[in-house]
Amino acid sequence: MPNPRSAALTAVFLVMTMISPHGAATAAEGRVDPLESLRREASKARAELEKATKRMEGRKKDLAASQVKLRDTLKDLAAAEAELNEIREPLARLANTSYQQRGAAGSMSIFGGGDPGQALRSTADVTLLAQTQKALVDRADDLQERRKRLATTAQDLQSRNAVEQTRLQQEVDGLKSKSAQLTEQLNAMLDKLAVSRLKRFQLGCDKGLSSDAKQFPNGLIPSKYLCVLPQKGHKLRADAAQAFYKLNAAYKSRFGRDMCVTDAYRNLSEQHRIYAQRPGFAAVPGTSNHGKGQAVDLCGGVQNSGSVQFNWLEAKAGKYGWIHPAWAYSSPFEPWHWEYGTENDE
């Protein structure tokens, strides 16, 4: 099976964050609010999927350990068979020789005719051969028994591993099937409710993830704790993303297009790369607000101080929790850089 967090499971996870059947009544109106129900069920489904994924990862580790044990068992079995094959020929040769001693008939030859001295020597030879033969026979018996045990163990491991492989595949297929079914249900619900593009993004981003994201070091936030932006390839911490969706919708209503984004969440590796290119201008890696998932770099006119777009953001961004920090006006001057929350927000 593929390693922990395969592309297929990642896709399933992203889809499941937007799942929903039916649900909660609003306190004010005493009626079912499909959108609120949608959000709650999405959060519940994500938690269930995380548990299922952890169980699957545990099974995969157990299966991997069992496969290692199987390989070792098969290796031991091959070694036992090789040793047994090596002693088969001398064993047969000794057995044959003991019946072909000239002038002797085993230990009873001393009671027959002929030279007594010769008879004694022949008897000694046969006794030595018999002792050697017995050692080989005993070793052959041990190897046969060991081979039998190993073969039984190998067969049992192969059988159990095959069953576990099938179970894992069935679980993956089941998650994919459920994901596809619920995604279809979700889209049908959203279309029926004529949910706006803004609502779709909001429903796909659980604001509760922001507290989880804050537990991780700057630039090391796992992707599943970040929310995608309308601008492809960019993500932010959940609370910042929810605020950005509204700001972006207002911007689009004013200028007829989405905000232009060149950068949002920036992982630690990317921070190091940019710092190496712009030492003294880029934030020290591990301290950037980009690494906390609460900063964006904008384009499309905003990057020019005094432009219509920049002036509009200065006037409107605060309403949605976004600011142009004081330092970005002078040291260094970065009209394109905007942050969610206060400059000291953690």
Side-chain angles (χ1 to χ4, degrees), residues 236-296:
L236 286 173
R237 200 174 68 193
D239 52 349
Q242 288 282 2
F244 183 84
Y245 297 151
K246 296 177 182 178
L247 176 61
N248 184 70
Y251 183 93
K252 187 173 183 179
S253 177
R254 169 63 179 84
F255 295 102
R257 61 182 179 275
D258 285 325
M259 298 173 72
C260 177
V261 178
T262 61
D263 206 358
Y265 171 71
R266 190 181 293 164
N267 64 35
L268 193 58
S269 176
E270 186 69 3
Q271 291 182 50
H272 277 282
R273 184 187 67 80
I274 293 175
Y275 186 78
Q277 294 175 345
R278 302 173 58 204
F281 291 94
V284 174
T287 66
S288 171
N289 272 359
H290 283 284
K292 294 191 289 186
Q294 61 179 105
V296 291

Side-chain angles (χ1 to χ4, degrees), residues 54-236:
K54 287 180 180 178
R55 287 196 302 270
M56 185 179 297
E57 292 299 330
R59 284 188 178 182
K60 285 163 67 175
K61 288 180 180 178
D62 291 342
L63 179 59
S66 185
Q67 293 284 39
V68 170
K69 184 177 180 181
L70 174 59
R71 286 196 298 269
D72 291 342
T73 300
L74 292 174
K75 184 177 179 180
D76 291 342
L77 177 59
E81 289 184 336
E83 186 175 352
L84 185 58
N85 286 332
E86 287 180 2
I87 69 173
R88 274 178 178 149
E89 183 178 349
L91 184 63
R93 190 166 57 246
L94 282 171
N96 186 55
T97 302
S98 67
Y99 290 103
Q100 296 182 13
Q101 287 298 311
R102 298 181 62 184
S107 59
M108 296 301 294
S109 62
I110 60 174
F111 300 105
D115 182 11
Q118 179 62 39
L120 287 172
R121 284 194 295 273
S122 296
T123 300
D125 290 341
V126 170
T127 300
L128 178 60
L129 289 172
Q131 290 173 346
T132 305
Q133 182 179 14
K134 184 178 185 304
L136 284 172
V137 170
D138 290 343
R139 180 58 181 160
D141 287 342
D142 290 343
L143 288 172
Q144 288 279 20
E145 184 61 29
R146 182 184 176 200
R147 186 178 67 169
K148 181 179 178 180
R149 290 196 307 269
L150 289 171
T152 300
T153 301
Q155 183 176 9
D156 182 57
L157 286 170
Q158 286 174 326
S159 177
R160 282 190 293 163
N161 289 358
V163 171
E164 191 61 23
Q165 289 273 15
T166 301
R167 285 178 180 171
L168 282 173
Q169 190 58 52
Q170 288 175 341
E171 191 167 344
V172 171
D173 291 343
L175 286 173
K176 288 181 180 179
S177 176
K178 184 177 181 181
S179 172
Q181 178 184 359
L182 292 172
T183 299
E184 183 178 353
Q185 175 188 350
L186 170 65
N187 289 331
M189 251 184 109
L190 293 176
D191 291 340
K192 184 177 180 180
L193 294 170
V195 176
S196 68
R197 179 171 177 258
L198 172 60
K199 277 291 184 184
R200 287 176 183 262
F201 276 103
Q202 289 176 325
L203 290 169
C205 176
D206 183 355
K207 193 171 183 178
L209 290 174
S210 60
S211 59
D212 294 327
K214 293 177 184 179
Q215 299 175 10
F216 294 93
N218 186 301
L220 297 174
I221 303 175
S223 181
K224 70 177 182 178
Y225 296 110
L226 301 169
C227 294
V228 297
L229 302 185
Q231 293 76 5
K232 187 175 181 181
H234 297 294
K235 295 181 179 182
L236 286 173

Side-chain angles (χ1 to χ4, degrees), residues 38-58:
L38 201 64
R39 182 191 301 280
R40 291 180 182 179
E41 292 298 330
S43 179
K44 178 181 176 181
R46 188 191 71 251
E48 290 176 351
L49 181 61
E50 286 181 334
K51 291 180 181 178
T53 301
K54 287 180 180 178
R55 287 196 302 270
M56 185 179 297
E57 292 299 330

